[in-house]
Short mmCIF file of all heavy atoms in Angstrom, two decimals:
data_model
loop_
_atom_site.label_atom_id
_atom_site.label_comp_id
_atom_site.label_asym_id
_atom_site.label_seq_id
_atom_site.Cartn_x
_atom_site.Cartn_y
_atom_site.Cartn_z
N VAL A 190 30.31 1.28 14.84
CA VAL A 190 28.87 1.14 14.63
C VAL A 190 28.52 -0.31 14.35
O VAL A 190 27.52 -0.83 14.87
CB VAL A 190 28.40 2.05 13.48
CG1 VAL A 190 26.95 1.73 13.10
CG2 VAL A 190 28.52 3.51 13.88
N HIS A 191 29.34 -1.01 13.54
CA HIS A 191 29.02 -2.40 13.21
C HIS A 191 29.06 -3.28 14.45
O HIS A 191 28.33 -4.26 14.55
CB HIS A 191 29.99 -2.93 12.16
CG HIS A 191 29.66 -4.32 11.70
ND1 HIS A 191 28.39 -4.69 11.30
CD2 HIS A 191 30.43 -5.44 11.59
CE1 HIS A 191 28.40 -5.97 10.96
NE2 HIS A 191 29.61 -6.44 11.14
N ARG A 192 29.92 -2.94 15.41
CA ARG A 192 30.02 -3.75 16.63
C ARG A 192 28.82 -3.53 17.55
O ARG A 192 28.57 -4.34 18.44
CB ARG A 192 31.30 -3.42 17.40
CG ARG A 192 32.56 -3.93 16.73
CD ARG A 192 33.74 -3.86 17.70
NE ARG A 192 34.97 -3.60 16.96
CZ ARG A 192 35.60 -2.44 16.96
NH1 ARG A 192 35.12 -1.43 17.68
NH2 ARG A 192 36.70 -2.27 16.27
N GLY A 193 28.11 -2.44 17.36
CA GLY A 193 26.97 -2.15 18.23
C GLY A 193 25.77 -2.99 17.85
O GLY A 193 25.00 -2.65 16.96
N ARG A 194 25.55 -4.09 18.56
CA ARG A 194 24.49 -5.04 18.19
C ARG A 194 23.11 -4.40 18.28
O ARG A 194 22.23 -4.68 17.48
CB ARG A 194 24.57 -6.28 19.08
CG ARG A 194 25.85 -7.08 18.89
CD ARG A 194 25.85 -8.35 19.70
NE ARG A 194 24.79 -9.23 19.27
CZ ARG A 194 24.45 -10.36 19.90
NH1 ARG A 194 25.10 -10.72 20.98
NH2 ARG A 194 23.48 -11.14 19.45
N ASN A 195 22.91 -3.55 19.29
CA ASN A 195 21.59 -2.92 19.42
C ASN A 195 21.30 -2.00 18.25
O ASN A 195 20.18 -1.95 17.74
CB ASN A 195 21.52 -2.15 20.73
CG ASN A 195 21.52 -3.07 21.94
OD1 ASN A 195 21.11 -4.21 21.84
ND2 ASN A 195 21.99 -2.57 23.08
N VAL A 196 22.34 -1.26 17.81
CA VAL A 196 22.17 -0.40 16.63
C VAL A 196 21.83 -1.26 15.43
O VAL A 196 20.92 -0.95 14.66
CB VAL A 196 23.45 0.42 16.37
CG1 VAL A 196 23.34 1.16 15.04
CG2 VAL A 196 23.68 1.40 17.50
N GLY A 197 22.57 -2.36 15.26
CA GLY A 197 22.34 -3.23 14.12
C GLY A 197 20.92 -3.77 14.08
O GLY A 197 20.26 -3.75 13.05
N ARG A 198 20.45 -4.24 15.24
CA ARG A 198 19.11 -4.81 15.26
C ARG A 198 18.04 -3.73 15.06
O ARG A 198 17.00 -3.99 14.45
CB ARG A 198 18.87 -5.56 16.57
CG ARG A 198 19.65 -6.87 16.64
CD ARG A 198 19.26 -7.72 17.82
NE ARG A 198 19.95 -8.99 17.79
CZ ARG A 198 19.52 -10.06 17.14
NH1 ARG A 198 18.38 -9.99 16.47
NH2 ARG A 198 20.20 -11.19 17.15
N SER A 199 18.30 -2.53 15.55
CA SER A 199 17.31 -1.47 15.36
C SER A 199 17.19 -1.09 13.90
O SER A 199 16.12 -0.68 13.44
CB SER A 199 17.70 -0.23 16.19
OG SER A 199 18.86 0.39 15.66
N VAL A 200 18.29 -1.21 13.15
CA VAL A 200 18.28 -0.89 11.73
C VAL A 200 17.71 -2.04 10.91
O VAL A 200 16.87 -1.86 10.03
CB VAL A 200 19.71 -0.53 11.24
CG1 VAL A 200 19.73 -0.39 9.72
CG2 VAL A 200 20.18 0.74 11.89
N ILE A 201 18.20 -3.26 11.19
CA ILE A 201 17.83 -4.42 10.39
C ILE A 201 16.43 -4.93 10.74
O ILE A 201 15.73 -5.46 9.88
CB ILE A 201 18.87 -5.55 10.59
CG1 ILE A 201 20.22 -5.10 10.05
CG2 ILE A 201 18.44 -6.82 9.89
CD1 ILE A 201 20.25 -4.92 8.56
N GLY A 202 16.00 -4.76 11.99
CA GLY A 202 14.71 -5.32 12.41
C GLY A 202 13.55 -4.98 11.50
O GLY A 202 12.83 -5.87 11.04
N PRO A 203 13.30 -3.69 11.22
CA PRO A 203 12.19 -3.35 10.33
C PRO A 203 12.35 -3.93 8.92
O PRO A 203 11.36 -4.28 8.27
CB PRO A 203 12.23 -1.82 10.29
CG PRO A 203 12.92 -1.43 11.55
CD PRO A 203 13.94 -2.49 11.79
N ILE A 204 13.60 -4.04 8.46
CA ILE A 204 13.83 -4.61 7.13
C ILE A 204 13.53 -6.10 7.14
O ILE A 204 12.93 -6.66 6.21
CB ILE A 204 15.28 -4.35 6.67
CG1 ILE A 204 15.57 -2.85 6.65
CG2 ILE A 204 15.54 -4.96 5.30
CD1 ILE A 204 17.03 -2.51 6.49
N LEU A 205 13.93 -6.77 8.24
CA LEU A 205 13.60 -8.19 8.39
C LEU A 205 12.10 -8.42 8.33
O LEU A 205 11.61 -9.34 7.68
CB LEU A 205 14.15 -8.71 9.72
CG LEU A 205 15.56 -9.29 9.75
CD1 LEU A 205 15.97 -9.57 11.18
CD2 LEU A 205 15.64 -10.55 8.91
N ARG A 206 11.36 -7.56 9.03
CA ARG A 206 9.91 -7.73 9.03
C ARG A 206 9.33 -7.48 7.64
O ARG A 206 8.44 -8.19 7.19
CB ARG A 206 9.29 -6.78 10.06
CG ARG A 206 9.52 -7.23 11.50
CD ARG A 206 8.69 -6.42 12.49
NE ARG A 206 9.20 -5.05 12.63
CZ ARG A 206 10.15 -4.69 13.48
NH1 ARG A 206 10.72 -5.59 14.26
NH2 ARG A 206 10.54 -3.44 13.56
N ALA A 207 9.86 -6.46 6.94
CA ALA A 207 9.36 -6.17 5.59
C ALA A 207 9.68 -7.30 4.63
O ALA A 207 8.90 -7.61 3.73
CB ALA A 207 9.96 -4.86 5.08
N ALA A 208 10.85 -7.93 4.82
CA ALA A 208 11.28 -8.99 3.91
C ALA A 208 10.88 -10.37 4.39
O ALA A 208 11.33 -11.37 3.85
CB ALA A 208 12.81 -8.93 3.75
N SER A 209 10.04 -10.43 5.42
CA SER A 209 9.69 -11.73 5.98
C SER A 209 8.83 -12.53 5.02
O SER A 209 8.42 -12.07 3.97
CB SER A 209 8.95 -11.53 7.31
OG SER A 209 7.70 -10.89 7.08
N TYR A 210 8.56 -13.76 5.42
CA TYR A 210 7.86 -14.70 4.56
C TYR A 210 6.36 -14.58 4.76
O TYR A 210 5.86 -14.59 5.90
CB TYR A 210 8.32 -16.12 4.87
CG TYR A 210 9.82 -16.29 4.67
CD1 TYR A 210 10.71 -16.09 5.72
CD2 TYR A 210 10.34 -16.62 3.42
CE1 TYR A 210 12.08 -16.22 5.53
CE2 TYR A 210 11.71 -16.75 3.23
CZ TYR A 210 12.57 -16.55 4.29
OH TYR A 210 13.91 -16.67 4.10
N ALA A 211 5.63 -14.47 3.66
CA ALA A 211 4.18 -14.30 3.74
C ALA A 211 3.49 -15.58 4.20
O ALA A 211 2.42 -15.53 4.80
CB ALA A 211 3.63 -13.87 2.38
N ASP A 212 4.09 -16.72 3.92
CA ASP A 212 3.53 -18.02 4.27
C ASP A 212 4.27 -18.56 5.49
O ASP A 212 5.49 -18.69 5.48
CB ASP A 212 3.69 -18.98 3.08
CG ASP A 212 2.93 -20.28 3.27
OD1 ASP A 212 2.60 -20.62 4.43
OD2 ASP A 212 2.67 -20.96 2.27
N MET A 213 3.53 -18.88 6.55
CA MET A 213 4.17 -19.40 7.77
C MET A 213 4.72 -20.81 7.59
O MET A 213 5.46 -21.29 8.43
CB MET A 213 3.18 -19.38 8.94
CG MET A 213 2.80 -17.98 9.40
SD MET A 213 4.20 -17.05 10.09
CE MET A 213 4.57 -15.94 8.75
N ASN A 214 4.34 -21.49 6.52
CA ASN A 214 4.84 -22.84 6.27
C ASN A 214 6.20 -22.81 5.58
O ASN A 214 6.40 -23.38 4.51
CB ASN A 214 3.84 -23.63 5.41
CG ASN A 214 2.54 -23.88 6.14
OD1 ASN A 214 2.54 -24.25 7.31
ND2 ASN A 214 1.43 -23.66 5.45
N VAL A 215 7.12 -22.12 6.19
CA VAL A 215 8.48 -22.01 5.69
C VAL A 215 9.41 -22.65 6.71
O VAL A 215 9.24 -22.47 7.92
CB VAL A 215 8.89 -20.54 5.46
CG1 VAL A 215 10.33 -20.43 4.99
CG2 VAL A 215 7.97 -19.89 4.43
N SER A 216 10.38 -23.39 6.21
CA SER A 216 11.34 -24.06 7.09
C SER A 216 11.97 -23.07 8.06
O SER A 216 12.48 -22.02 7.65
CB SER A 216 12.43 -24.72 6.23
OG SER A 216 13.62 -24.91 6.98
N PRO A 217 11.99 -23.38 9.36
CA PRO A 217 12.68 -22.52 10.31
C PRO A 217 14.15 -22.33 9.98
O PRO A 217 14.72 -21.28 10.27
CB PRO A 217 12.50 -23.25 11.65
CG PRO A 217 11.28 -24.10 11.47
CD PRO A 217 11.30 -24.51 10.03
N SER A 218 14.77 -23.34 9.38
CA SER A 218 16.18 -23.22 9.01
C SER A 218 16.37 -22.19 7.90
O SER A 218 17.37 -21.45 7.89
CB SER A 218 16.73 -24.58 8.57
OG SER A 218 16.74 -25.50 9.65
N ILE A 219 15.43 -22.13 6.95
CA ILE A 219 15.51 -21.12 5.89
C ILE A 219 15.34 -19.73 6.49
O ILE A 219 16.08 -18.79 6.15
CB ILE A 219 14.44 -21.39 4.82
CG1 ILE A 219 14.76 -22.69 4.07
CG2 ILE A 219 14.34 -20.22 3.85
CD1 ILE A 219 13.71 -23.07 3.05
#
Side-chain angles (χ1 to χ4, degrees):
V190 170
H191 184 49
R192 288 194 212 106
R194 296 184 64 187
N195 291 334
V196 172
R198 288 189 176 273
S199 70
V200 172
I201 295 293
I204 302 168
L205 270 172
R206 287 190 288 273
S209 66
Y210 301 91
D212 190 339
M213 292 296 104
N214 294 316
V215 177
S216 157
S218 294
I219 292 176

